[in-house]
Amino acid sequence: MDARSLVSQILDIELEMFKSVPARYPVSCQDDEEGFRIMRAAQFAVWSEDTLRSYLQDLEAARQADRNLMTLKYARMEDLVAPLQNNVEITELIEEIVLIQLQWQREMEARYPALMARGRPMTDDGNGTGETSFERYLRAELETYSPVTLTNLFRDIVARQVKGENMTEEIYEHMVKALGYSSLVEADENARRQTTQ
Amino acid sequence: MKNILVIGGSYFLGRVFVEEMAQDPDNCVYVVNRGNRPLNMPTVRELRCDRNDVAGMRAILPHKTWDAVVDFCAYAPQDVDDLMRVMTRDTIKHYLLISTASVYAPTKIRPVRENAPIVTAPQPALGPAASYGYLKALTEQTARRHCTQRSVPYTCLRPTIIYGRYNYAPRESYFFDLVRRGEPVVIPEHDLPLFQFVLVDDAARATARCVLNSAAYGKTFNVSADELISYGRLVEVIEAVSGKTISRRPMDVATIDRLRIPLPFPLDDHLIYSGRLLQETLDFSFTPFHAGMQSAYDWYRQSMSTTP
């Protein structure tokens, strides 16, 4: 199965789970199927086939066990359930991934401030908005991945680091292009214009 | 004719480097070491002496203008001090020190670049290798100081895990032996940590490319291919190059430690370096890991068939 088919299957299962997240954990944009697909597809566009394959297996195994990974993610974001990973090696791995992604996110904020201002606040520390931070969201999502998927994702991430690339930038690039912009610069300029109007 | 003096050069990386340099008829290659493993290469002049025997070195080394002195076996500051005492009457046009990526202090900032902090004390956690990186770091400083004082261009190379022909350390051969005997291979249950390799031929070629290359003067280079390898990936590649099915036995790291299974690569931390400076400065590219491991395995099989 190639990357495109893997992403397509992942999106189908994720969407099914996303739509059935119970109202107790209200999820914004639950009805915006297209928006959901664009955001998630941009993320998966930069994953290796190994990572996509193992994540698809995670989703299929969860569905079979009647576990909704989206519900668990949102429940973890709000600290409503206990941590989903207990193995020290795996929790350390999650922290490493969070650290790298935060760094990339900061680089993006410096480069495309208007565009990034539209996203979540970076961390919980004093953001004062009451909105779930990027860091909290990311950590919760990573906890829903299996150790194999986390390991594969970590390899994808470190491979980018070694080449001096920013995976977050690639994700945003996919996203803004799917939204009709030609580049991140154009999307950032558009965001700036809208802010100053 | 370029006079190249190689200190060490009889075992692994040094030997491959000498082979590389000896191919060029414009090079006049001198090798000085204790003579335990003669090279017996017709165009290479082999001189026998312990590098720390200053009087002996003075006696055997011809006085020359050395276009390059390439030092493969300086493990402590004294090694460089002694060499420079011997060579006071010689002109050195370029001094190259083969150091190690072990000089870097532990860090979570990856990939480790050449300007990352280096160790400032021995690391007892490394057991028998506690002082290796620290002494190498001090050796680098000593070499740089001598070169600055003598106005000699200095280049330092820091290879990561070297593999390939003539490897006397039980690294890839540890796995090749298991495969040959049809024994299972223990690997960590999570396919971590990640580390990087450099094929010995690449490390030798990179060193050769630095020689008398002004772009390399005053520079320190990591010598590390980009590919991220784990135990799982390594076994996958060995399976492919050997054509044999390998039985894997996943085990948690604590059990591997408790059972003292001598896995030759790190178990508790990633070793990830940036080799970009070298690649960009020297327009250098590394051999893909699969191809490199194929050559290492072919050499291993050949050496096994010729071992009595």
Side-chain angles (χ1 to χ4, degrees):
Chain A
M1 202 186 306
D2 64 4
R4 187 185 289 258
S5 326
L6 288 165
V7 171
S8 165
Q9 289 197 41
I10 286 170
L11 289 175
D12 287 346
I13 303 177
E14 274 205 337
L15 192 61
E16 175 192 308
M17 290 182 172
F18 184 62
K19 282 180 161 177
S20 53
V21 172
R24 188 179 163 193
Y25 314 120
V27 181
S28 60
C29 315
Q30 228 165 341
D31 297 323
D32 181 10
E33 187 174 323
E34 197 195 340
F36 178 87
R37 281 188 181 276
I38 287 175
M39 301 283 186
R40 301 299 289 172
Q43 173 171 321
F44 301 132
V46 302
W47 285 13
S48 67
E49 284 190 24
D50 280 349
T51 312
L52 291 170
R53 200 166 291 117
S54 60
Y55 183 53
L56 178 59
Q57 281 170 10
D58 296 351
L59 289 165
E60 285 169 341
R63 186 164 62 177
Q64 199 135 17
D66 209 16
R67 287 173 83 231
N68 185 330
L69 296 187
M70 298 290 145
T71 303
L72 288 171
K73 174 167 78 174
Y74 287 98
R76 275 301 296 143
M77 268 161 47
E78 294 173 34
D79 272 331
L80 296 171
V81 294
L84 305 174
Q85 302 282 357
N86 299 310
N87 179 297
V88 178
E89 233 183 304
I90 295 304
T91 52
E92 279 179 1
L93 187 61
I94 289 174
E95 290 313 308
E96 288 222 31
I97 293 174
V98 169
L99 200 72
I100 297 166
Q101 303 252 43
L102 277 173
Q103 175 61 34
W104 280 338
Q105 196 82 2
R106 286 195 183 98
E107 286 174 19
M108 286 294 288
E109 276 192 345
R111 238 175 283 163
Y112 310 104
L115 176 68
M116 297 305 286
R118 295 182 152 196
R120 298 173 182 279
M122 184 81 78
T123 60
D124 284 348
D125 303 337
N127 77 57
T129 63
E131 205 181 334
T132 304
S133 69
F134 168 80
E135 182 183 11
R136 179 178 278 265
Y137 179 93
L138 175 63
R139 192 173 281 119
E141 174 160 340
L142 293 173
E143 282 192 25
T144 67
Y145 299 172
S146 68
V148 175
T149 299
L150 283 167
T151 304
N152 287 336
L153 178 61
F154 183 68
R155 294 172 68 108
D156 293 348
I157 285 172
V158 177
R160 296 283 196 312
Q161 270 197 313
V162 169
K163 289 181 187 152
E165 296 169 354
N166 180 332
M167 188 190 257
T168 305
E169 183 166 0
E170 288 177 55
I171 293 171
Y172 271 87
E173 200 149 358
H174 280 282
M175 200 160 66
V176 299
K177 282 185 176 163
L179 291 169
Y181 297 101
S182 64
S183 66
L184 281 165
V185 174
E186 188 193 337
D188 188 53
E189 276 168 7
N190 185 60
R192 187 177 300 120
R193 269 199 304 274
Q194 288 187 359
T195 313
T196 52
Q197 272 170 9
Chain B
M1 210 59 178
K2 280 181 272 182
N3 291 315
I4 313 290
L5 176 63
V6 177
I7 315 291
S10 64
Y11 280 87
F12 184 27
L13 171 56
R15 186 184 187 106
V16 178
F17 173 78
V18 170
E19 287 179 4
E20 169 95 17
M21 295 307 279
Q23 280 177 17
D24 184 346
D26 194 37
N27 289 335
C28 186
V29 182
Y30 290 76
V31 176
V32 59
N33 56 49
R34 285 171 294 187
N36 293 333
R37 285 198 174 192
L39 297 168
N40 298 321
M41 295 180 203
T43 59
V44 174
R45 292 159 209 212
E46 295 186 64
L47 308 168
R48 269 185 182 209
C49 193
D50 184 316
R51 67 174 296 153
N52 297 109
D53 174 2
V54 174
M57 287 282 279
R58 280 192 178 129
I60 58 131
L61 272 184
H63 288 302
K64 284 198 177 293
T65 291
W66 296 108
D67 292 282
V69 174
V70 190
D71 200 341
F72 284 90
C73 60
Y75 297 105
Q78 189 66 45
D79 294 336
V80 178
D81 284 334
D82 288 345
L83 180 67
M84 293 298 174
R85 279 172 66 203
V86 170
M87 306 195 76
T88 47
R89 286 160 53 190
D90 301 272
T91 299
I92 303 174
K93 290 190 177 170
H94 188 192
Y95 176 83
L96 297 95
L97 176 70
I98 309 304
S99 185
T100 169
S102 300
V103 297
Y104 293 111
T107 178
K108 293 280 181 204
I109 299 168
R110 290 185 279 262
V112 176
R113 300 185 200 285
E114 287 82 353
N115 59 359
I118 59 171
V119 288
T120 53
Q123 298 169 285
L126 298 179
S131 294
Y132 175 68
Y134 177 55
L135 286 174
K136 271 289 203 181
L138 293 178
T139 305
E140 284 186 9
Q141 289 166 21
T142 304
R144 198 177 299 117
R145 193 187 70 239
H146 278 291
C147 288
T148 304
Q149 284 167 357
R150 295 175 65 152
S151 300
V152 172
Y154 164 80
T155 300
C156 174
L157 293 116
R158 293 173 178 163
T160 51
I161 303 167
I162 309 177
Y163 72 104
R165 60 200 170 108
Y166 306 132
N167 193 357
Y168 52 87
R171 289 180 187 148
E172 67 273 19
S173 65
Y174 167 81
F175 297 95
F176 295 162
D177 286 344
L178 291 174
V179 171
R180 184 170 50 86
R181 296 196 297 260
E183 293 177 16
V185 175
V186 170
I187 55 171
E189 62 173 347
H190 303 304
D191 199 17
L192 295 170
L194 301 176
F195 35 91
Q196 292 162 311
F197 287 83
V198 57
L199 180 65
V200 66
D201 301 85
D202 286 348
R205 209 160 40 88
T207 308
R209 206 173 280 193
C210 287
V211 168
L212 291 171
N213 181 346
S214 60
Y217 292 173
K219 296 249 173 48
T220 294
F221 295 113
N222 289 338
V223 188
S224 172
D226 284 349
E227 278 177 89
L228 298 167
I229 310 299
S230 58
Y231 280 98
R233 170 76 182 140
L234 177 64
V235 171
E236 209 176 281
V237 171
I238 293 175
E239 205 163 43
V241 302
S242 67
K244 294 186 177 171
T245 304
I246 300 173
S247 160
R248 296 154 173 85
R249 189 181 292 170
M251 212 175 263
D252 64 84
V253 172
T255 308
I256 293 172
D257 279 343
R258 188 167 47 78
L259 298 177
R260 297 188 177 180
I261 295 167
L263 293 182
F265 306 119
L267 281 170
D268 53 355
D269 206 1
H270 311 287
L271 293 179
I272 300 166
Y273 304 92
S274 171
R276 292 178 74 204
L277 182 65
L278 182 125
Q279 292 175 62
E280 287 165 9
T281 308
L282 305 177
D283 190 20
F284 191 85
S285 56
F286 290 96
T287 305
F289 187 63
H290 188 286
M293 203 42 88
Q294 182 72 65
S295 75
Y297 185 71
D298 292 344
W299 182 83
Y300 168 83
R301 288 212 340 154
Q302 196 186 345
S303 63
M304 289 306 292
S305 67
T306 55
T307 304

